[in-house]
Amino acid sequence: MAHVGAYPLAYAKYGLTCPAYATQATHMMGALCMQDASKTLAAREEFTLFNEKDVEAAFDNVTPLQYSQPKALPGRHSHIVVTAHAAGHTIGGTIWTINNGAEDVLYALDYNHTKEEHLRRCSLMEGAEGMLSRRLTKPTLLITDALNATYNLATRKKRVECFLDSVGAVVKRGGNVLIPVDSAARVLEIAYVLNEWWPRERSRRDTHALCLLGGSARKMRSFAQSLVGWMASSVEGQMSDRDTKPFDLRHVSIVQTMAELDRKMRGDTRSRGRPRRAVVLAPVEGMTMGFSQE
């Protein structure tokens, strides 16, 4: 939402009519995210900035692109060419090159130089060793940010271990876990990590349900399965397994209402009729609205 949140508003209320471009994955997931946000905001207050029809119209104006697909702007600006490259932060997330003759602008915000479970690293890095890409490292102008420049982050492996250890500790002592997430972006990585980790211990499967709660959760999973080509090779490799659909999240129960979640947490054969606890992924991240607040 950080990158598309204002777009329906600008299109619907401020007359934004210029050409808009996004990757196919961002076009699909961004529209889904904003539709979900519109429904959530309208349900909790008198929200008039934009509605679902505004979101649909705005994203109908977007031209979807593939990675590394040059696209000339229309009309008298046809000498300017934009190209999307993988940012490695969200599915379809993009850093852009903008070419005008001999000048190249590299617009790179919010990118990830490390490989994740469901995503490749950003296109600034090449190969298994993560070497800098020669194609993208000598622009005429670089536009970037320094959001995490002062952070001393642990390795990704350590951060994932810490996250799973924290979830596992609460599960072992019989507690519930709420993980606030977005509705169609970083949630994919978190859900995938939990899905791969969940079956390693049978005891937690008997006492807890692992749930993804969201009004558009089933559609989000369906979209993700259709976008496997935008993911890491390890996810694409699942397509060769006849018993597994790629990104099926087989250990994650998709629920779209609180009533569905309540039913899932009631006793079943595995819990011998006893109420179950749950690990729940629910939007939104800041717990300011939506199911995470409820």
Side-chain angles (χ1 to χ4, degrees):
M1 191 181 294
H3 296 278
V4 299
Y7 177 59
L9 173 63
Y11 187 85
K13 297 295 192 292
Y14 298 113
L16 180 69
T17 57
C18 65
Y21 302 96
T23 59
Q24 179 189 3
T26 296
H27 183 255
M28 294 172 64
M29 289 299 199
L32 181 65
C33 178
M34 294 312 301
Q35 292 279 14
D36 194 61
S38 176
K39 291 177 185 177
T40 301
L41 288 164
R44 70 188 291 262
E45 61 187 31
E46 188 176 344
F47 182 74
T48 60
L49 292 179
F50 59 84
N51 56 36
E52 292 179 60
K53 289 185 178 179
D54 293 330
V55 172
E56 184 177 357
F59 279 88
D60 281 346
N61 184 57
V62 174
T63 299
L65 302 174
Q66 301 296 316
Y67 283 144
S68 302
Q69 176 190 349
K71 180 67 176 179
L73 299 187
R76 61 191 180 92
H77 300 297
S78 59
H79 56 286
I80 300 175
V81 177
V82 298
T83 308
H85 307 274
H89 181 63
T90 59
I91 187 167
T94 306
I95 57 178
W96 295 91
T97 51
I98 307 167
N99 174 262
N100 182 10
E103 295 186 343
D104 288 295
V105 176
L106 175 59
Y107 182 85
L109 302 180
D110 206 4
Y111 56 89
N112 184 7
H113 66 281
T114 60
K115 179 183 176 298
E116 295 196 332
E117 291 298 320
H118 87 293
L119 289 177
R120 307 179 183 95
R121 58 166 56 93
C122 72
S123 293
L124 289 171
M125 318 298 287
E126 290 185 337
E129 301 302 320
M131 302 299 291
L132 288 174
S133 168
R134 293 182 180 180
R135 298 175 299 133
L136 302 176
T137 51
K138 293 186 178 181
T140 309
L141 173 65
L142 169 65
I143 302 172
T144 189
D145 61 16
L147 183 63
N148 295 319
T150 59
Y151 289 3
N152 185 18
L153 291 175
T155 64
R156 183 184 179 281
K157 181 179 179 181
K158 288 289 185 183
R159 282 179 281 137
V160 171
E161 287 177 354
C162 182
F163 167 65
L164 294 177
D165 287 347
S166 297
V167 173
V170 175
V171 168
K172 282 185 177 179
R173 64 172 182 259
N176 293 310
V177 180
L178 170 64
I179 305 172
V181 293
D182 54 48
S183 56
R186 294 299 301 166
V187 61
L188 298 178
E189 177 72 8
I190 298 171
Y192 190 84
V193 167
L194 287 170
N195 181 74
E196 297 300 296
W197 171 77
W198 195 253
R200 296 176 192 171
E201 283 190 20
R202 182 173 179 176
S203 58
R204 58 175 164 249
R205 289 182 289 163
D206 291 340
T207 60
H208 284 68
L210 175 59
C211 299
L212 174 57
L213 171 63
S216 302
R218 292 190 180 93
K219 184 179 288 187
M220 182 276 292
R221 181 177 61 180
S222 177
F223 280 7
Q225 290 175 326
S226 72
L227 294 168
V228 168
W230 296 80
M231 299 183 187
S233 56
S234 57
V235 181
E236 287 187 90
Q238 294 178 358
M239 297 180 71
S240 61
D241 187 345
R242 295 181 180 180
D243 296 327
T244 304
K245 290 183 178 179
F247 213 85
D248 69 340
L249 302 178
R250 64 167 61 184
H251 302 293
V252 179
S253 297
I254 306 296
V255 292
Q256 296 198 161
T257 65
M258 293 297 293
E260 279 190 72
L261 178 62
D262 287 341
R263 288 195 295 271
K264 193 66 182 176
M265 293 178 67
R266 291 173 190 162
D268 63 8
T269 55
R270 285 182 295 179
S271 59
R272 298 181 182 179
R274 296 188 298 271
R276 301 173 76 196
R277 300 291 184 175
V279 175
V280 182
L281 287 74
V284 295
E285 296 164 284
M287 298 179 66
T288 56
M289 61 181 185
F291 286 117
S292 63
Q293 189 182 69
E294 294 182 39

